[in-house]
Amino acid sequence: MDTGTLKNLIGLSREQLAAEMAMIGEKPFRAKQLWHWLYNRGETDFAKMTSISKVMQARLAEHYVVARPEVERDLISVDTTRKWLLKFADGNEAETVYIPDEDEVRGAVCISSQVGCTLTCKFCHTGTQLLVRNLTPAEIVGQFMVARDAYGEWPTPDDQARKLSNIVMMGMGEPLYNFDNVATALKIVMDGEGIALSKRRITLSTSGVVPMMKRCGEELGVNLAISLHAVTDDVRDRIMPINKKYPLKELMKACAEYPGASNARRITFEYIMLKGVNDSAADARQLLRLIKGLPAKFNLIPFNPWPGSEFECSDMKHVKAFSDILQDAGYSAPIRKSRGADILAACGQLRSESQRQKCSRLAERLKAGIADEHHVFPS
Ligand code: SAH
Ligand code: SF4
């Protein structure tokens, strides 16, 4: 059957799903029933939705599909980290990573928000890729659903019995530059009658898109992580161009005002350890001054190299010394263990091979002035 013309039900908000049901002449309560099948049971086949009449099953199949992104590659690291290269209906690709805890009982799914990224952070592989487009709500929720398919976590298990226990919006792209779609997707994920993941188990990481941070806290209430990586505007301007737009002072003010942050729910400051760039004892002390008064914790990330990157990771003894200074001041400052490096699934390594070819094609089209408005160049 050619499903190309059928609409995907995944990614619609509850209101949108109800509107679809009204459109095909069904009662609104059908949307609630369907929601359960889609997001609690993970069912993709209308014929297996047994609480729905045969007549309605047929009507649904006439108009809709329940589609997942296609799994193009499925790689498992020696350390059990797993990475899916997903292909979307238009041929674009993005990556999703599952990072089990050491005991493999629970773990986080690292989700992408865009294909590529417009922000050209110097240490990040994704940043070397042009943004092709924002991911849709269906493509964002779809990443988590693919992971649940792979581990058979349907129907939604009890909170305590889930391998896929957390979500981190730390894959490819800047989530706060695709806020509407990320918000729709996360609201679906947090809905108690479906996937039912608590906002406390979701962390959104941003490079510091200051004007969107308040909305993120108010509308979603998820945990916030800031990719800080430098303690002076000079250094941050150099390694993270977004700092020129939203410098440290503004970023820290937005953190202080982040709704819902408290000592029990601290803001995570992510800090990549770059040899000779940001890793001195003086940097660590300046970091403490910078976050003074904020409910903060740290995550020190040893730099993960990628082909052509201009940095080196700090020596472990420097990383340790840096961590000790933060911990002596009373903060949690674990050193993130690199996971999945053998399958290029570690932080900052996501970037698909086939994308590179597409990007060079896109660059040519932009140069020739024939690219469309969905294709954005990094500024
Ligand atoms: N765009 C958002 C979400 C991506 S999160 C953000 O930047 O926060 C990806 C995380 O991995 C960020 O903290 C990023 O700074 C970090 N990262 C990027 N490149 C890295 C690298 N080469 N080694 C280690 N961490 C890296
Ligand atoms: Fe984009 Fe985040 Fe990578 Fe910077 S670190 S280029 S914001 S994905």
Side-chain angles (χ1 to χ4, degrees):
M1 184 174 61
D2 175 19
T3 57
T5 55
L6 301 178
K7 190 167 183 174
N8 188 9
L9 288 180
I10 297 296
L12 301 181
S13 65
R14 267 185 184 264
E15 296 72 33
Q16 288 169 328
L17 192 62
E20 287 294 334
M21 291 306 99
M23 220 130 70
I24 61 165
E26 290 290 345
K27 297 258 173 354
F29 81 89
R30 292 291 186 192
K32 192 174 156 71
Q33 224 173 12
L34 202 46
W35 188 273
H36 180 84
W37 283 109
L38 300 181
Y39 297 116
N40 176 280
R41 306 292 288 266
E43 187 52 69
T44 56
D45 183 353
F46 294 120
K48 293 190 182 147
M49 300 183 181
T50 46
S51 63
I52 293 175
S53 72
K54 290 262 182 279
V55 177
M56 181 175 164
Q57 287 178 2
R59 194 171 308 146
L60 287 171
E62 247 172 62
H63 293 88
Y64 306 110
V65 284
V66 181
R68 305 275 199 265
E70 188 186 321
V71 177
E72 180 98 319
R73 246 182 302 159
D74 179 351
L75 300 170
I76 302 184
S77 157
V78 289
D79 69 18
T80 70
T81 299
R82 185 162 176 177
K83 178 171 90 168
W84 297 271
L85 173 65
L86 301 179
K87 190 168 180 173
F88 305 113
D90 66 353
N92 274 310
E93 292 164 344
E95 293 179 310
T96 306
V97 180
Y98 173 58
I99 311 131
D101 292 347
E102 306 277 288
D103 56 10
E104 291 178 40
V105 177
R106 306 172 72 70
V109 181
C110 177
I111 288 181
S112 295
S113 55
Q114 299 181 308
V115 178
C117 189
T118 47
L119 295 167
T120 49
C121 302
K122 294 285 179 298
F123 45 79
C124 177
H125 206 194
T126 309
T128 64
Q129 194 175 324
L130 296 180
L131 175 76
V132 176
R133 67 171 173 81
N134 283 333
L135 293 179
T136 63
E139 292 163 343
I140 297 167
V141 187
Q143 294 175 59
F144 191 68
M145 299 179 88
V146 162
R148 268 209 175 167
D149 291 345
Y151 289 90
E153 292 211 326
W154 302 113
T156 295
D158 277 353
D159 184 54
Q160 292 311 314
R162 298 180 193 185
K163 264 175 152 355
L164 311 181
S165 57
N166 293 67
I167 285 182
V168 291
M169 294 299 302
M170 294 188 183
M172 297 163 69
E174 170 48 59
L176 295 189
Y177 274 166
N178 184 19
F179 183 73
D180 289 342
N181 291 351
V182 167
T184 304
L186 291 183
K187 283 178 193 165
I188 293 173
V189 164
M190 293 189 283
D191 187 295
E193 291 176 27
I195 291 171
L197 200 73
S198 153
K199 64 181 183 182
R200 287 168 201 281
R201 299 206 181 279
I202 300 176
T203 301
L204 183 145
S205 175
T206 179
S207 57
V209 183
V210 166
M212 297 306 295
M213 285 167 55
K214 185 157 177 252
R215 253 187 91 190
C216 175
E218 278 172 356
E219 275 182 42
L220 302 175
V222 294
N223 302 315
L224 184 68
I226 302 287
S227 291
L228 190 65
H229 307 328
V231 293
T232 64
D233 282 320
D234 258 9
V235 175
R236 201 163 188 267
D237 280 353
R238 191 148 54 81
I239 64 176
M240 298 185 73
I242 193 175
N243 195 67
K244 292 184 194 145
K245 207 162 175 185
Y246 308 117
L248 282 172
K249 197 162 166 225
E250 288 179 34
L251 181 56
M252 290 304 126
K253 183 165 177 286
C255 287
E257 293 166 358
Y258 187 71
S262 66
N263 281 340
R265 291 191 76 200
R266 290 166 183 266
I267 296 174
T268 305
F269 289 92
E270 300 165 273
Y271 199 93
I272 299 193
M273 301 302 298
L274 302 170
K275 190 179 198 162
V277 176
N278 65 356
D279 62 348
S280 70
D283 288 318
R285 287 191 292 270
Q286 176 58 22
L287 180 52
L288 288 170
R289 282 193 284 273
L290 195 64
I291 57 87
K292 200 165 186 267
L294 292 176
K297 59 182 176 180
F298 299 99
N299 213 323
L300 303 182
I301 316 175
F303 169 68
N304 290 311
W306 37 271
S309 57
E310 61 183 273
F311 299 104
E312 273 179 76
C313 182
S314 313
D315 300 327
M316 273 331 270
K317 75 171 192 299
H318 278 109
V319 181
K320 181 82 183 44
F322 201 98
S323 166
D324 286 345
I325 293 173
L326 303 177
Q327 290 192 42
D328 288 348
Y331 293 93
S332 154
I335 300 164
R336 193 184 287 174
K337 215 172 147 228
S338 180
R339 306 285 301 273
D342 55 334
I343 55 168
L344 281 183
C347 299
Q349 292 186 318
L350 303 186
R351 185 193 203 278
S352 49
E353 280 304 317
S354 51
Q355 201 49 55
R356 201 169 308 177
Q357 295 161 11
K358 273 199 212 97
C359 282
S360 58
R361 274 208 307 275
L362 170 62
E364 280 161 27
R365 291 172 61 212
L366 279 164
K367 236 188 275 163
I370 50 172
D372 62 46
E373 76 274 14
H374 299 299
H375 295 136
V376 187
F377 241 155
S379 52

